[in-house]
Amino acid sequence: MSGFGWIAWIVIGIIAGWLAEQIMGRNHGLLTNLIVGIVGALIGGFLYNTLGGDAGGNWIVGVIVATLGAIVLLFLLGLVKRRA
């Protein structure tokens, strides 16, 4: 997903973080959504590229991949919180 600039990463991060928040039934603020979305985009992008995909500047694919990565991140964080 290297075809995006910094502004696009921020917008995609906010959208992906918000979508993941809604899907996972969590309640976070805008900054947390941004962080979760950007880290999720990194996780999702890594997994997507590993499977042979390339978002290459496609906004829709970028948001989907980032959202799936953010969902994975929130799921893993939920597992860690339960054990602590």
Short mmCIF file of all heavy atoms in Angstrom, two decimals, residues 5-6 11 15-16 18 22 26 32 38 41 43-44 46 48-50 52 61 63 68 84:
data_model
loop_
_atom_site.label_atom_id
_atom_site.label_comp_id
_atom_site.label_asym_id
_atom_site.label_seq_id
_atom_site.Cartn_x
_atom_site.Cartn_y
_atom_site.Cartn_z
N GLY A 5 -0.09 8.85 0.24
CA GLY A 5 0.70 9.85 0.92
C GLY A 5 0.31 9.91 2.40
O GLY A 5 -0.58 9.19 2.85
N TRP A 6 0.97 10.80 3.14
CA TRP A 6 0.73 10.90 4.58
C TRP A 6 -0.70 11.29 4.91
O TRP A 6 -1.30 10.74 5.84
CB TRP A 6 1.70 11.91 5.20
CG TRP A 6 3.09 11.37 5.28
CD1 TRP A 6 4.13 11.66 4.44
CD2 TRP A 6 3.57 10.41 6.20
NE1 TRP A 6 5.24 10.94 4.80
CE2 TRP A 6 4.92 10.16 5.90
CE3 TRP A 6 3.01 9.72 7.27
CZ2 TRP A 6 5.71 9.27 6.60
CZ3 TRP A 6 3.80 8.84 7.98
CH2 TRP A 6 5.12 8.62 7.64
N VAL A 11 -6.27 9.75 6.83
CA VAL A 11 -7.70 9.60 6.53
C VAL A 11 -8.09 8.12 6.57
O VAL A 11 -9.09 7.75 7.19
CB VAL A 11 -8.05 10.23 5.17
CG1 VAL A 11 -9.47 9.90 4.75
CG2 VAL A 11 -7.83 11.73 5.21
N ILE A 15 -10.69 6.28 9.26
CA ILE A 15 -11.83 5.50 8.76
C ILE A 15 -11.72 4.05 9.22
O ILE A 15 -12.69 3.47 9.74
CB ILE A 15 -11.93 5.58 7.23
CG1 ILE A 15 -12.29 7.00 6.79
CG2 ILE A 15 -12.95 4.58 6.69
CD1 ILE A 15 -12.15 7.25 5.31
N ALA A 16 -10.55 3.46 9.06
CA ALA A 16 -10.36 2.05 9.43
C ALA A 16 -10.50 1.86 10.94
O ALA A 16 -11.12 0.88 11.39
CB ALA A 16 -8.99 1.56 8.97
N TRP A 18 -12.26 3.71 12.99
CA TRP A 18 -13.67 3.88 13.34
C TRP A 18 -14.48 2.64 12.95
O TRP A 18 -15.30 2.16 13.73
CB TRP A 18 -14.25 5.12 12.67
CG TRP A 18 -15.69 5.34 13.01
CD1 TRP A 18 -16.18 5.90 14.15
CD2 TRP A 18 -16.81 4.94 12.23
NE1 TRP A 18 -17.55 5.91 14.10
CE2 TRP A 18 -17.96 5.32 12.94
CE3 TRP A 18 -16.95 4.33 11.00
CZ2 TRP A 18 -19.25 5.09 12.45
CZ3 TRP A 18 -18.23 4.09 10.51
CH2 TRP A 18 -19.36 4.48 11.24
N GLN A 22 -16.51 0.07 15.45
CA GLN A 22 -17.93 -0.26 15.31
C GLN A 22 -18.14 -1.77 15.20
O GLN A 22 -19.04 -2.32 15.83
CB GLN A 22 -18.52 0.44 14.08
CG GLN A 22 -18.46 1.95 14.12
CD GLN A 22 -19.16 2.53 15.34
OE1 GLN A 22 -20.31 2.21 15.61
NE2 GLN A 22 -18.45 3.36 16.08
N ARG A 26 -16.45 -1.54 20.35
CA ARG A 26 -15.63 -0.78 21.30
C ARG A 26 -16.05 0.68 21.27
O ARG A 26 -16.82 1.11 20.41
CB ARG A 26 -14.14 -0.89 20.95
CG ARG A 26 -13.63 -2.30 20.78
CD ARG A 26 -13.43 -2.97 22.14
NE ARG A 26 -13.10 -4.37 22.02
CZ ARG A 26 -11.89 -4.86 21.87
NH1 ARG A 26 -10.86 -4.06 21.82
NH2 ARG A 26 -11.69 -6.16 21.80
N THR A 32 -7.41 7.61 19.31
CA THR A 32 -7.24 6.16 19.42
C THR A 32 -7.64 5.47 18.13
O THR A 32 -6.96 4.54 17.68
CB THR A 32 -8.07 5.60 20.60
OG1 THR A 32 -7.68 6.29 21.79
CG2 THR A 32 -7.84 4.11 20.77
N ILE A 38 -4.00 3.20 11.83
CA ILE A 38 -2.69 3.22 11.16
C ILE A 38 -1.91 1.95 11.48
O ILE A 38 -1.33 1.34 10.58
CB ILE A 38 -1.91 4.49 11.53
CG1 ILE A 38 -2.57 5.70 10.87
CG2 ILE A 38 -0.45 4.39 11.10
CD1 ILE A 38 -1.98 7.03 11.24
N ALA A 41 -3.46 -0.71 9.59
CA ALA A 41 -3.09 -0.64 8.18
C ALA A 41 -1.73 -1.29 7.95
O ALA A 41 -1.52 -1.98 6.94
CB ALA A 41 -3.07 0.81 7.70
N ILE A 43 -0.42 -3.70 9.83
CA ILE A 43 -0.63 -5.15 10.00
C ILE A 43 -1.35 -5.72 8.78
O ILE A 43 -0.93 -6.72 8.20
CB ILE A 43 -1.44 -5.43 11.29
CG1 ILE A 43 -0.62 -5.07 12.52
CG2 ILE A 43 -1.88 -6.90 11.35
CD1 ILE A 43 -1.43 -5.07 13.81
N GLY A 44 -2.45 -5.09 8.39
CA GLY A 44 -3.22 -5.56 7.24
C GLY A 44 -2.42 -5.50 5.96
O GLY A 44 -2.49 -6.41 5.13
N PHE A 46 0.85 -5.67 5.65
CA PHE A 46 1.85 -6.73 5.68
C PHE A 46 1.23 -8.07 5.30
O PHE A 46 1.75 -8.81 4.47
CB PHE A 46 2.49 -6.81 7.07
CG PHE A 46 3.40 -7.99 7.24
CD1 PHE A 46 4.66 -7.99 6.68
CD2 PHE A 46 2.98 -9.10 7.95
CE1 PHE A 46 5.50 -9.09 6.82
CE2 PHE A 46 3.80 -10.20 8.10
CZ PHE A 46 5.07 -10.20 7.53
N TYR A 48 -1.59 -8.59 3.68
CA TYR A 48 -2.09 -8.53 2.30
C TYR A 48 -0.94 -8.71 1.30
O TYR A 48 -1.08 -9.45 0.33
CB TYR A 48 -2.80 -7.20 2.09
CG TYR A 48 -3.56 -7.09 0.79
CD1 TYR A 48 -4.67 -7.90 0.55
CD2 TYR A 48 -3.20 -6.17 -0.19
CE1 TYR A 48 -5.38 -7.79 -0.63
CE2 TYR A 48 -3.91 -6.06 -1.36
CZ TYR A 48 -5.00 -6.87 -1.58
OH TYR A 48 -5.70 -6.76 -2.75
N ASN A 49 0.17 -8.05 1.56
CA ASN A 49 1.33 -8.20 0.67
C ASN A 49 1.93 -9.59 0.76
O ASN A 49 2.40 -10.13 -0.24
CB ASN A 49 2.41 -7.16 1.01
CG ASN A 49 2.00 -5.77 0.57
OD1 ASN A 49 1.20 -5.60 -0.33
ND2 ASN A 49 2.54 -4.77 1.24
N THR A 50 1.90 -10.19 1.94
CA THR A 50 2.39 -11.56 2.10
C THR A 50 1.56 -12.54 1.28
O THR A 50 2.10 -13.50 0.72
CB THR A 50 2.35 -11.97 3.59
OG1 THR A 50 3.16 -11.05 4.33
CG2 THR A 50 2.87 -13.38 3.79
N GLY A 52 0.26 -11.82 -1.49
CA GLY A 52 0.44 -11.49 -2.90
C GLY A 52 -0.39 -10.33 -3.40
O GLY A 52 -0.41 -10.04 -4.59
N VAL A 61 -9.65 -0.67 -1.46
CA VAL A 61 -8.86 -1.81 -0.98
C VAL A 61 -8.05 -1.38 0.24
O VAL A 61 -7.93 -2.13 1.21
CB VAL A 61 -7.94 -2.37 -2.09
CG1 VAL A 61 -7.03 -3.45 -1.56
CG2 VAL A 61 -8.77 -2.88 -3.24
N VAL A 63 -8.76 0.88 2.55
CA VAL A 63 -9.62 0.96 3.74
C VAL A 63 -10.01 -0.44 4.22
O VAL A 63 -10.00 -0.71 5.43
CB VAL A 63 -10.88 1.82 3.45
CG1 VAL A 63 -11.89 1.70 4.58
CG2 VAL A 63 -10.49 3.27 3.23
N LEU A 68 -9.42 -4.52 8.30
CA LEU A 68 -9.19 -5.90 8.74
C LEU A 68 -7.98 -5.98 9.66
O LEU A 68 -8.00 -6.70 10.67
CB LEU A 68 -9.01 -6.81 7.52
CG LEU A 68 -10.27 -7.02 6.68
CD1 LEU A 68 -9.95 -7.83 5.43
CD2 LEU A 68 -11.36 -7.69 7.49
N ALA A 84 -4.50 -10.22 31.56
CA ALA A 84 -3.82 -9.36 32.54
C ALA A 84 -4.67 -9.10 33.74
O ALA A 84 -5.79 -9.29 33.87
CB ALA A 84 -3.45 -8.03 31.89
#
